Amino acid sequence: MDRMTATGVTGSGVRATARLLARADGRGGTALPVLESEGPLALRRTRGSGAEARVMLVGAMSGPLGGDHFTVRAGVREGARLRVGSAAATIALPGQAGGEARYDVRLTVADGGELHWLPEQLISARGSDLRVTTRAELGAAARLVLREEQVLGRVGEEPGRLTSRLTVRIGQRTVLDQELGCGPGAPAGWDGPAVLGGHRAVGQLVLVRPEFTTRPVRARMLGDGAALVPLAGPAALVTAVAVDALRLRRVLDEASAALA
């Protein structure tokens, strides 16, 4: 049976977009004048903390499935603080329509704005084919904490095809642009010692802080499976691999705490 959303797309997959905008409310807090959900992408405001507004992304349907195209757009204006998480892991599944699924995330943070983008893991199930693109555009004085975690296959399962690209631009300058392909059909060597080394969980943490301009981080290893490197501009990148999602999250949390 074909799946449908309010957009009326059937057969070839679901098209859905969620939009979110945060701005300073003039009273020391953060307002959310735009909080739009569509189809399987449901945004829910939760209790904030101080000046920070908090939003959860709740999956109202399974997916993304083959042929689906999901897009999330989030903007943070000057003086606003926003934290976005998700209620559960996202599972990429093959679906009846077949073909590649897409999940696009577009983030913009103005000077003086702050965004914590902290979704749960993305799990690539066997037979799925998903391309994820995350693009963050920041002002020169913006702040960002961005976490991405991918798990290749459910317990005891081989992964599907997963392609993930992450781009970060600060003040019109690209400081990070990298792509990783895993699973069947990915470039040879993705599971070798130079990339994942047999691990099934991979993640990264991007931190953008204006103070890194004068006090840049020092490149170093963070245990056996993680590395911290400075990026051009006021930014740093932690990349980690682990045997499972739990250990991956622990490594990234420890790295975030060490750089707080």
Side-chain angles (χ1 to χ4, degrees):
M1 180 176 180
D2 291 336
R3 297 166 41 194
M4 297 186 64
T5 70
T7 60
V9 178
T10 65
S12 61
V14 172
R15 305 292 186 270
T17 300
R19 297 177 178 85
L20 169 62
L21 178 65
R23 62 169 176 79
D25 64 7
R27 304 186 301 273
T30 298
L32 299 175
V34 178
L35 194 65
E36 299 176 354
S37 304
E38 188 176 77
L41 300 175
L43 297 171
R44 299 289 184 263
R45 182 166 190 168
T46 61
R47 185 183 298 275
S49 175
E52 181 183 79
R54 297 186 177 182
V55 172
M56 295 294 290
L57 179 61
V58 180
M61 298 169 59
S62 61
L65 309 183
D68 289 353
H69 187 177
F70 296 171
T71 303
V72 180
R73 300 183 181 274
V76 180
R77 299 279 177 84
E78 180 180 359
R81 295 181 60 189
L82 175 65
R83 180 181 296 262
V84 180
S86 57
T90 297
I91 304 179
L93 297 165
Q96 295 182 352
E100 181 185 74
R102 292 179 56 187
Y103 201 130
D104 298 329
V105 176
R106 300 292 180 260
L107 311 174
T108 58
V109 187
D111 285 339
E114 181 172 346
L115 172 63
H116 290 239
W117 187 262
L118 304 170
E120 294 300 310
Q121 298 91 353
L122 169 64
I123 301 173
S124 173
R126 184 172 65 180
S128 64
D129 185 357
L130 176 64
R131 176 175 293 273
V132 181
T133 61
T134 301
R135 185 178 182 89
E137 296 273 355
L138 287 79
R143 303 175 72 88
L144 173 70
V145 178
L146 184 153
R147 183 183 69 210
E148 284 193 344
E149 299 168 309
Q150 285 112 28
V151 180
L152 304 180
R154 293 167 290 193
V155 177
E157 177 186 67
E158 290 300 310
R161 172 74 180 270
L162 176 63
T163 304
S164 176
R165 182 173 181 177
L166 172 61
T167 305
V168 179
R169 288 171 54 83
I170 304 174
Q172 305 301 315
R173 180 185 185 187
T174 300
V175 301
L176 176 66
D177 190 351
Q178 65 179 30
E179 183 172 290
L180 175 65
C182 304
W190 66 270
D191 200 23
V195 188
L196 298 187
H199 294 88
R200 282 297 178 264
V202 57
Q204 45 205 352
L205 181 71
V206 178
L207 299 105
V208 178
R209 297 175 181 164
E211 57 265 31
F212 285 166
T213 301
T214 56
R215 293 186 287 110
V217 301
R218 176 177 56 87
R220 61 186 185 273
M221 295 299 296
L222 302 173
D224 294 333
L228 168 65
V229 295
L231 301 176
L237 171 68
V238 176
T239 301
V241 294
V243 296
D244 57 35
L246 181 62
R247 298 188 191 185
L248 177 65
R249 176 65 60 83
R250 185 180 303 145
V251 170
L252 294 179
D253 283 348
E254 289 173 353
S256 181
L259 292 168

